[in-house]
Amino acid sequence: MLSPNQLAGITLAFLSLLFILQTQFQYQSSHEPGWSWQACLPKYWRLDWKARQLQWSTADSQSDEYLLGVGKADITGPSVEINFMGFADPKQVGSGIRQRLYSRAFIVADPVHPKDRFVYLVLDTQSGDTAIRHGILQGLQELGPDYEVYTRSNVAVTGTHSHSGPGAWLNYLLPQITSKGFDKQSYEAIVTGAIRSIERAHRGLEPGRLSYDSAVLTEANVNRSPFAYLANPSEERARYEHDVDKTITMLRFTRSRDGKHIGALNWFPVHGTSMLGNNTLVTGDNKGIAAYLLERDSRIDEENFAENFVAGFSQSNVGDTSPNIEGAYCEDGSGEQCSFEASLCGGKSQPCHGRGPFFGLDDAGTKSCFEIGKRQFEAAKHILRSMQSRDRTGTPVRGEIRSLHTFNDMSAFTFTLPNGSTASTCPAALGYSFAAGTTDGPGAFDFKQNSSGDPNANPLWASVRNFIHEPSEEQKACHYPKPILLDVGETTSPYLWTPNIVDMQLLRVGPLIIIVSPGEATTMAGRRWKEAIADTATSLDLDGAGFSKPLVVLGGPANTYTHYIATEEEYGVQRYEGASTLYGPHTLNAYINATTHLVPYLSSFAAPKHSLDPGPDPPVNSNSSLTFINPVVYDTSGFRHSFGDVVRNVDPAEKRMYRIGESVSATFIGANPRNDLRLEGTYAEVQRVAEHSIAPVTVATDEDWDLVFTWRRTNQVVGTSEVTITWKIPEEVDAGRYRLVYHGNSKALGTGQIRELAPLEPPVLLRAPPPLSSILAQIVSSRATGPLAIGTTRVAHLPQSLHTSSLISNCHPPNRADFDNEINALRREYTKQQPDDVLQYCANYFLKRLESQRLETRLAKRHPSSRGLEMDGTSFPGSNPFDAGPGNGMNTLSEEDDHPGSPTSKVQETIAPMSKSGPPAAASSAFGHSEFAGERFSATGAMDGTHSLPQGYNFSRRTSVSAESMNPADSASSDWTPPVHYKSPEQEGRLRQAVAPNFLFSHLDEDQTKQVLGALQEKNIPAKGIKVISQGDVGDYFYIVEKGNFDIYVNASGKLETGADGMGKKVADIGPGGSFGELALMYNAPRAATVVSTDSSTLWALDRVTFRRIIMDSAFQRRQMYEAFLAEVPLLESLTTYERSKIADALNTQKFPPGQTIIQEGDIGENFYLLESGEAQVFKRGQETAVHQYKKGDYFGELALLDDKPRAASVVSKTDVKLATLGKDGFQRLMGPVADIMRRNDPSRMDTEKTST
């Protein structure tokens, strides 16, 4: 047995040896990279140490409880006039907000040792940043002693890599170039919000448990550089099923007191480039959508989720991933896939673009972005549900919390490679392929990917490079085979262009190790890095929770931005990722070496963290960066306007109700949003005005994807601007009355004072309409009232009543006496009748009064009046549409009878009523078409509601027109063939979308549509100010706008005149996807307006003869088919052949697969149906079996149209069903002769179980 003295001596010697080894380790790890401190220990010591460490970890980890906290805060910077960070395109300047940006903080702390903690930040930004992190750490220290536990070793600042947020906040010069420098407001928004999110997470710390799980998500990312990926060893690639990582990993935060989840932190690699380079609205891209959806979904499940649940979707090894999962194709007209090796089209990189899941929509990638985000959300939701099930609760996390951070100078880092050779990194440099961009965002000029060795580029670029900074021969050799385009690591004027001093950070909680990566690691680079950390941790037995191998995830880009991290093999290919790998071919191995040497510090047996060399500090340029960004000088509201005035309301003359999925917008006199970022607030709101409620309820703000806030400067000198709020009505919104609200702040001229917009009027209480099913009350303007204001907001006008607003918006404001007379008359009739349905009775009463008034107007004004425009006639149920009297709404023209199949009758249906105060109400279409005398204009801008057309123009009926004589019956024997002009598949897709909503094309079959598309010929408009069509000229072409914009003018004289004002007044504008000139396809009609280019543009034109040959053929065949069918319908036996032919002209075809609902019980009726083929069944609520069957020749849907009642039952297709449908207006005009028969067949008046709808 040892004596006490001997025991003390041995102990002292042992401690002395440990001290020597620790000192040697610190020196060696600093000066001899590649050296392992365990090599100084005998083998059996290493085993003993591992046993000792395992025992220690297990002893300290009996409890699996941690202190957990989550927090979320707004970091949305200036949304306008600031260049977006990501695509490096100077033209991509913000114009508004589709979705606010957030910082999401996740804190994990040891309840016993408070300093053992870390905070993981997920910012909706392109990356982390040196200056941003410095500002966050500085701000945390200023919060007081409670926040001193947050240091640079345990705060990780990661970005989701979104490319659709404001820039100008990064520390180094290179990303500042396209943003015109550094913007303090943009920087402070991120720093302030990040600190606030940490503060909220810290204040919410409470005992809880962690668990993790994963799922495979296969349809949300692809490899955009597969050629470079294939350069990796085949045996290595064979270990993996995919060329990108498909696993989404979740760390779930659950509080102990009630078992509710407070947060979920996810890692999945997919680039934040779903929103394309032409997007100018702030969003969090697909990661922001995923977080938004999961947080919103958590509010539904109050049993399992805490009230302020926070969802973070962090990046992983994202470098070569893309959300454009449909692949990369050439947009140069060929429609071919881009070249595999270099992503080129015809030798150029610019036409090569990746395609998202909804490619082809002209929406800047919006719908594709939502879809990729939704898929990540659904995967995360699946993981959460799986972890909540009894048989799978996820893997619990137990063990210690460790964190570390050092700075490493990567400009000359020497280390030992795994094969024993020595390697070094180089000062940062970017290769030629960096400027070529990627398939997510192609570059400019003649740069190409896969440019290794000799770049084979214009010598001009070498001259430009040398002018900035000429790389030395040593630098060139160090980076070989990368040809250096920008020697950014050695360019220090006016300050460093990119970082050379780089953050190295690791976090650990139990078996989970997080690599906090400063760059974008490619798929294989990330795999190697994670595997190296896992192997090192396993050899040290760091998983004290008893797992054989730790779980390692990689998060980034974080803390700074070092561009890309490619494998050495990928670097040799020199595609974009390799060319953007800053520190030479050994960059990845340098990161692996530097971080694996830090792994021992994650052990409880390691030396204290304060003994870890922090490394050299990087420069922080937040107070010294250049800026050339113009400040906001002042705002004015303009002449005869006040801030907040509603200048364009929500289509009051066009609609009476909005449905789910439609969009509604209003435009206000606004001020620059940069005056106040409204952090934690909003620029836009949708409010629901509820019955008996003074305070409206907010249902959407500008954090919601469906509510879009846009701003535009209308006059730079005067300082005026407008804001537009657009709401796409989501499915979850209830029926009711809503309003759009604008919040803003103006900057005063001279003083520079920022002021909130003051109210114009006191609050107004509005009465809610009766409840409806799946229909939203239109947000319309009542001409008898002014704009409403609540607090400091401006709101779009609202109707006083749902059922009277449509009448008010389409009629002239009545004087008080007329109003009182109408109300008194209604009261008398109501007293007599005592109806059960009050609202329906009142609506029918006023419709009949309106019909009578219109009839009187037409009788009194058979000839054009000098008093201006009158409303066109509209017949109502009960009138005979075949009567030639003055009340007839058909207004049949002689030429219609002479040409069977003429689409003239369809024109009569689609031309909107005229009113004294302005143009006709616009017909609804996908492009927002507005019509003038039958000629439709696809307007991207708003119509001028004060415009007046020529006196007597198009009064009561259209003017007489004529066209070439064509007999469709002779077309089969004609030798005419349609012309064909080549188009790329992408162009054809856009043109197909443009013509699809147009009523002239809606009945063409696929072959006829292809003929029309083939006949379209390209017309290039080279400059601004070119008149494409002139008012009064004879038209012979129809046009679709592919590129550019056009203004529309109407002269009151009816034709274009000479002089400065000869074009008349501007009434609308047309952008890409729009169309104009339909009348030219049917008639030799004078042009109704002048259309002038506002910039160089591209049009596609269709001549009248080609169209008429195609459309006449289609209409004639269609009429013959429907006439034959209608002759077999018993209901229509009493009609003459002429009457049936009129109905045939108005019918449309709809097809339904088995089991699909055709009409829904309780809905408002819009169509009458004739069953052409198949079978359908009738169902009533509360009855499980069908109450009636329909077969060929049966009809349904008539009663809801005859009596304006909701649908009485649901009709569901039993087999494949083909229906002939007739809209409500056509039904009321054309079915008069059989209306009594249908009323007699009303099963509600008969003793039968048959149910009609």
Side-chain angles (χ1 to χ4, degrees):
M1 172 161 304
L2 296 175
S3 68
N5 288 337
Q6 289 174 318
L7 185 59
I10 293 173
T11 303
L12 179 61
F14 180 76
L15 292 175
S16 299
L17 179 58
L18 284 180
F19 176 78
I20 293 169
L21 288 173
Q22 174 182 313
T23 305
Q24 175 69 6
F25 165 65
Q26 293 172 27
Y27 176 84
Q28 294 280 8
S29 62
S30 309
H31 296 80
E32 298 182 24
W35 176 86
S36 172
W37 74 284
Q38 295 180 73
C40 293
L41 297 176
K43 185 175 182 181
Y44 56 87
W45 273 37
R46 291 200 294 271
L47 292 173
D48 289 347
W49 176 85
K50 288 195 290 185
R52 168 74 180 274
Q53 185 224 6
L54 179 59
Q55 181 182 0
W56 189 320
S57 298
T58 304
D60 283 0
S61 307
Q62 294 303 317
S63 173
D64 59 356
E65 271 198 342
Y66 300 95
L67 289 178
L68 305 179
V70 296
K72 174 183 171 184
D74 192 352
I75 60 169
T76 311
S79 58
V80 303
E81 300 184 317
I82 298 293
N83 179 245
F84 277 6
M85 175 59 196
F87 288 113
D89 183 354
K91 300 187 296 295
Q92 192 185 15
V93 176
S95 65
I97 297 175
R98 177 175 286 279
Q99 180 189 39
R100 282 197 170 259
L101 309 180
Y102 291 95
S103 168
R104 294 173 170 89
F106 299 83
I107 298 178
V108 181
D110 189 315
V112 179
H113 306 98
K115 289 187 177 180
D116 290 342
R117 67 179 62 206
F118 65 76
V119 54
Y120 190 94
L121 286 176
V122 182
L123 308 180
D124 287 333
T125 59
Q126 185 267 349
S127 65
D129 175 69
T130 300
I132 293 291
R133 188 170 189 268
H134 175 81
I136 292 170
L137 292 172
Q138 195 173 49
L140 288 171
Q141 297 308 305
E142 294 171 358
L143 292 177
D146 287 349
Y147 293 86
E148 290 178 355
V149 292
Y150 300 106
T151 66
R152 74 181 190 180
S153 70
N154 62 14
V155 175
V157 182
T158 77
T160 60
H161 205 46
S162 168
H163 284 43
S164 56
W169 45 264
L170 286 99
N171 187 60
Y172 295 94
L173 182 67
L174 182 63
Q176 294 177 7
I177 292 174
T178 54
S179 65
K180 300 181 181 178
F182 185 84
D183 184 71
K184 200 75 170 180
Q185 187 183 42
S186 187
Y187 163 83
E188 289 178 348
I190 299 171
V191 170
T192 302
I195 294 172
R196 185 177 287 131
S197 68
I198 296 173
E199 200 175 358
R200 288 170 177 168
H202 179 83
R203 289 201 305 263
L205 282 170
E206 63 176 310
R209 289 177 170 82
L210 295 172
S211 55
Y212 66 84
D213 206 341
S214 62
V216 176
L217 176 56
T218 58
E219 297 295 330
N221 62 355
V222 294
N223 195 307
R224 69 186 185 189
S225 286
F227 181 70
Y229 178 85
L230 290 175
N232 295 305
S234 58
E235 61 273 15
E236 182 180 32
R237 288 186 281 108
R239 294 167 53 198
Y240 304 99
E241 182 180 356
H242 303 284
D243 57 4
V244 291
D245 283 350
K246 299 288 188 179
T247 299
I248 178 171
T249 301
M250 175 186 290
L251 181 64
R252 184 181 65 177
F253 291 61
T254 306
R255 66 190 184 197
S256 297
R257 59 184 169 93
D258 57 8
K260 290 187 177 182
H261 311 313
I262 62 172
L265 179 53
N266 304 272
W267 289 271
F268 180 77
V270 59
H271 247 84
T273 50
S274 289
M275 298 301 295
L276 305 178
N278 61 347
N279 166 60
T280 58
L281 296 175
V282 172
T283 79
D285 211 270
N286 56 68
K287 296 283 185 185
I289 277 294
Y292 167 75
L293 292 175
L294 189 55
E295 288 168 351
R296 188 179 66 172
D297 189 72
S298 71
R299 300 181 201 129
I300 302 172
D301 187 1
E302 296 180 358
E303 182 180 351
N304 293 301
F305 291 87
E307 181 180 359
N308 294 314
F309 176 87
V310 176
F313 283 78
S314 184
Q315 283 293 0
S316 186
N317 43 333
V318 64
D320 50 1
T321 66
S322 172
N324 296 309
I325 59 176
E326 299 302 318
Y329 288 82
C330 298
E331 310 300 339
D332 58 358
S334 67
E336 297 178 350
Q337 284 193 311
C338 308
S339 68
F340 184 68
E341 295 83 0
S343 299
L344 297 177
C345 298
K348 297 181 179 180
S349 61
Q350 290 78 21
C352 180
H353 289 268
R355 296 179 174 182
F358 286 95
F359 164 78
L361 299 179
D362 187 15
D363 65 350
T366 300
K367 193 167 183 181
S368 290
C369 178
F370 190 90
E371 180 63 24
I372 296 297
K374 179 184 173 187
R375 293 177 186 183
Q376 292 175 74
F377 148 70
E378 288 172 342
K381 185 177 179 180
H382 170 76
I383 295 174
L384 280 170
R385 284 181 174 175
S386 297
M387 295 169 79
Q388 287 168 204
S389 64
R390 292 184 178 181
D391 57 337
R392 184 178 179 183
T393 58
T395 303
V397 175
R398 300 184 181 92
E400 300 182 13
I401 299 169
R402 292 289 183 266
S403 62
L404 59 87
H405 175 280
T406 66
F407 287 114
N408 203 46
D409 188 350
M410 294 288 281
S411 64
F413 178 54
T414 302
F415 60 99
T416 302
L417 291 170
N419 62 9
S421 62
T422 300
S424 294
T425 54
C426 328
L430 292 163
Y432 273 69
S433 294
F434 159 77
T438 71
T439 55
D440 290 339
F445 305 110
D446 58 346
F447 295 103
K448 302 175 180 65
Q449 296 196 69
N450 192 15
S451 294
S452 58
D454 182 1
N456 191 27
N458 192 322
L460 170 67
W461 303 122
S463 300
V464 172
R465 174 198 66 192
N466 295 341
F467 175 79
I468 298 171
H469 185 275
E470 184 175 2
S472 65
E473 292 303 318
E474 181 183 5
Q475 175 78 330
K476 292 179 183 178
C478 187
H479 279 277
Y480 187 83
K482 177 201 295 176
I484 296 175
L485 175 65
L486 293 172
D487 192 16
V488 288
E490 296 185 318
T491 306
T492 57
S493 177
Y495 40 90
L496 199 60
W497 284 41
T498 57
N500 280 324
I501 297 173
V502 177
D503 301 74
M504 301 291 175
Q505 187 173 30
L506 297 173
L507 308 174
R508 176 199 168 199
V509 52
L512 175 66
I513 297 176
I514 304 172
I515 303 171
V516 184
S517 171
E520 301 177 54
T522 63
T523 298
M524 193 62 81
R527 288 168 176 171
R528 290 184 190 177
W529 196 353
K530 289 186 289 184
E531 187 172 44
I533 294 294
D535 288 344
T536 304
T538 301
S539 70
L540 297 175
D541 207 353
L542 290 183
D543 71 353
F547 295 95
S548 59
K549 197 169 186 177
L551 171 69
V552 181
V553 295
L554 184 150
N559 296 333
T560 187
Y561 184 57
T562 62
H563 294 251
Y564 283 72
I565 305 170
T567 67
E568 192 167 345
E569 295 85 353
E570 294 165 347
Y571 184 93
V573 176
Q574 280 296 295
R575 280 179 60 91
Y576 177 83
E577 294 80 16
S580 303
T581 297
L582 289 182
Y583 308 111
H586 304 300
T587 298
L588 171 61
N589 283 321
Y591 279 113
I592 291 175
N593 183 277
T595 51
T596 53
H597 277 77
L598 298 175
V599 172
Y601 282 89
L602 298 179
S603 161
S604 60
F605 193 67
K609 281 186 292 185
H610 61 74
S611 64
L612 180 64
D613 184 0
D617 287 334
V620 176
N621 302 318
S622 53
N623 292 322
S624 58
S625 289
L626 300 174
T627 183
F628 300 95
I629 299 170
N630 294 326
V632 179
V633 181
Y634 59 86
D635 294 284
T636 66
S637 58
F639 180 62
R640 298 177 65 181
H641 279 296
S642 298
F643 286 117
D645 281 358
V646 181
V647 294
R648 278 186 291 277
N649 217 320
V650 289
D651 304 330
E654 195 174 314
K655 291 179 176 238
R656 292 162 181 82
M657 292 182 182
Y658 283 94
R659 295 183 180 277
I660 298 294
E662 289 187 296
S663 293
V664 57
S665 66
T667 301
F668 305 77
I669 297 295
N672 197 310
R674 291 165 62 197
N675 294 329
D676 188 330
L677 300 182
R678 307 194 75 83
L679 292 171
E680 305 292 315
T682 184
Y683 293 111
E685 271 187 277
V686 178
Q687 294 179 346
R688 179 173 184 177
V689 182
E691 191 173 5
H692 307 307
S693 175
I694 296 177
V697 177
T698 298
V699 298
T701 67
D702 59 17
E703 77 163 328
D704 293 295
W705 189 260
D706 294 311
L707 186 63
V708 177
F709 169 84
T710 56
W711 174 90
R712 73 180 185 95
R713 175 71 72 190
T714 55
N715 191 302
Q716 189 73 38
V717 177
V718 180
T720 55
S721 59
E722 292 180 350
V723 301
T724 299
I725 298 172
T726 304
W727 185 39
K728 184 177 180 181
I729 303 167
E731 292 182 0
E732 63 269 16
V733 170
D734 296 326
R737 289 193 304 142
Y738 297 80
R739 63 181 176 190
L740 305 178
V741 184
Y742 163 54
H743 301 269
N745 301 72
S746 64
K747 186 173 185 179
L749 176 63
T751 65
Q753 181 183 2
I754 305 295
R755 295 177 295 191
E756 273 202 305
L757 304 185
L760 293 177
E761 295 180 8
V764 177
L765 175 63
L766 298 176
R767 185 169 62 84
L772 295 172
S773 174
S774 302
I775 295 181
L776 295 159
Q778 181 193 359
I779 312 170
V780 299
S781 168
S782 169
R783 294 176 184 167
T785 62
L788 308 177
I790 289 191
T792 60
T793 64
R794 298 292 175 274
V795 301
H797 303 183
L798 286 159
Q800 295 299 317
S801 167
L802 174 66
H803 290 283
T804 61
S805 62
S806 59
L807 302 179
I808 293 172
S809 63
N810 279 341
C811 300
H812 309 297
N815 59 45
R816 184 67 189 183
D818 289 342
F819 176 80
D820 290 341
N821 289 337
E822 292 292 347
I823 294 299
N824 290 334
L826 172 62
R827 185 177 289 111
R828 288 193 298 271
E829 292 299 319
Y830 176 81
T831 304
K832 291 180 184 178
Q833 302 294 333
Q834 292 293 315
D836 294 331
D837 190 337
V838 177
L839 290 174
Q840 189 64 60
Y841 178 82
C842 293
N844 292 343
Y845 173 85
F846 279 115
L847 285 172
K848 290 177 181 178
R849 287 284 299 123
L850 182 60
E851 177 185 9
S852 174
Q853 185 186 64
R854 285 180 171 176
L855 178 58
E856 292 171 2
T857 301
R858 286 195 296 273
L859 287 172
K861 299 180 180 181
R862 286 287 186 89
H863 303 287
S865 170
S866 62
R867 286 182 288 176
L869 300 170
E870 300 293 338
M871 289 187 291
D872 196 10
T874 303
S875 62
F876 291 87
S879 64
N880 186 346
F882 307 106
D883 184 4
N888 170 28
M890 289 290 291
N891 289 330
T892 305
L893 301 178
S894 58
E895 64 263 34
E896 292 176 348
D897 299 332
D898 295 337
H899 298 284
S902 167
T904 307
S905 59
K906 295 296 293 181
V907 175
Q908 291 295 332
E909 279 189 40
T910 55
I911 293 179
M914 304 291 291
S915 69
K916 289 181 181 178
S917 60
S924 173
S925 83
F927 290 97
H929 288 93
S930 303
E931 294 187 4
F932 288 84
E935 181 145 355
R936 179 177 297 181
F937 298 95
S938 177
T940 56
M943 297 286 297
D944 185 344
T946 62
H947 169 70
S948 296
L949 293 177
Q951 291 183 350
Y953 188 86
N954 199 34
F955 170 70
S956 182
R957 55 173 287 175
R958 65 174 175 82
T959 55
S960 178
V961 293
S962 62
E964 296 89 343
S965 176
M966 288 188 180
N967 186 354
D970 294 337
S971 62
S973 59
S974 171
D975 59 357
W976 176 85
T977 57
V980 177
H981 302 280
Y982 174 77
K983 298 161 196 69
S984 71
E986 188 269 338
Q987 287 174 320
E988 185 174 319
R990 287 203 302 269
L991 293 173
R992 185 181 291 272
Q993 283 189 318
V995 302
N998 195 303
F999 76 95
L1000 296 176
F1001 300 90
S1002 59
H1003 300 299
L1004 300 182
D1005 61 28
E1006 180 60 24
D1007 290 339
Q1008 292 164 335
T1009 300
K1010 286 183 177 178
Q1011 286 182 336
V1012 169
L1013 296 177
L1016 288 166
Q1017 52 187 307
E1018 189 173 10
K1019 302 284 186 180
N1020 290 312
I1021 309 300
K1024 175 182 179 181
I1026 294 179
K1027 297 181 182 66
V1028 180
I1029 63 175
S1030 298
Q1031 186 178 0
D1033 287 357
V1034 174
D1036 53 359
Y1037 280 96
F1038 161 69
Y1039 298 96
I1040 298 172
V1041 182
E1042 179 179 16
K1043 184 182 72 174
N1045 293 276
F1046 297 84
D1047 289 337
I1048 304 169
Y1049 296 84
V1050 173
N1051 192 304
S1053 67
K1055 64 179 181 179
L1056 178 68
E1057 296 181 345
T1058 58
D1061 300 324
M1063 291 191 298
K1065 188 171 184 178
K1066 179 181 173 181
V1067 296
D1069 54 59
I1070 302 174
S1075 59
F1076 57 91
E1078 281 94 325
L1079 281 185
L1081 299 182
M1082 299 183 291
Y1083 321 110
N1084 288 322
R1087 295 293 194 187
T1090 300
V1091 178
V1092 183
S1093 62
T1094 60
D1095 49 20
S1096 61
S1097 310
T1098 301
L1099 295 170
W1100 290 90
L1102 181 67
D1103 68 276
R1104 181 179 62 256
V1105 174
T1106 298
F1107 174 79
R1108 283 175 59 78
R1109 292 302 299 255
I1110 297 171
I1111 200 68
M1112 292 299 100
D1113 221 11
S1114 168
F1116 181 68
Q1117 293 174 13
R1118 187 168 157 271
R1119 166 178 274 204
Q1120 285 185 319
M1121 177 190 71
Y1122 274 129
E1123 283 182 344
F1125 167 69
L1126 295 177
E1128 299 176 1
V1129 177
L1131 172 70
L1132 307 178
E1133 288 177 348
S1134 61
L1135 298 183
T1136 66
T1137 302
Y1138 174 77
E1139 290 170 339
R1140 280 198 297 269
S1141 70
K1142 285 299 178 183
I1143 296 174
D1145 281 341
L1147 290 175
N1148 294 315
T1149 298
Q1150 281 187 276
K1151 296 180 180 179
F1152 294 88
Q1156 185 167 337
T1157 300
I1158 301 170
I1159 61 176
Q1160 182 70 45
E1161 183 176 354
D1163 283 359
I1164 291 178
E1166 298 291 345
N1167 290 294
F1168 168 68
Y1169 300 90
L1170 290 161
L1171 194 58
E1172 290 187 52
S1173 63
E1175 296 181 8
Q1177 296 177 306
V1178 182
F1179 292 89
K1180 292 281 289 182
R1181 286 176 185 163
Q1183 301 183 37
E1184 295 183 359
T1185 58
V1187 297
H1188 190 66
Q1189 305 280 339
Y1190 289 131
K1191 59 184 184 302
K1192 180 181 178 180
D1194 287 342
Y1195 63 91
F1196 55 89
E1198 74 286 357
L1199 295 182
L1201 305 185
L1202 288 170
D1203 300 326
D1204 285 327
K1205 292 181 179 179
R1207 297 293 193 187
S1210 299
V1211 177
V1212 179
S1213 56
K1214 183 178 179 182
T1215 64
D1216 285 319
V1217 165
K1218 184 178 181 182
L1219 296 167
T1221 68
L1222 185 63
K1224 187 172 184 177
D1225 290 340
F1227 177 84
Q1228 292 172 341
R1229 286 192 296 105
L1230 302 172
M1231 300 297 286
V1234 295
D1236 290 338
I1237 298 175
M1238 286 186 284
R1239 289 185 189 276
R1240 289 197 303 269
N1241 291 342
D1242 180 356
S1244 65
R1245 304 171 189 267
M1246 301 169 61
D1247 296 329
T1248 176
E1249 292 184 353
K1250 176 185 175 183
T1251 302
S1252 175
T1253 55

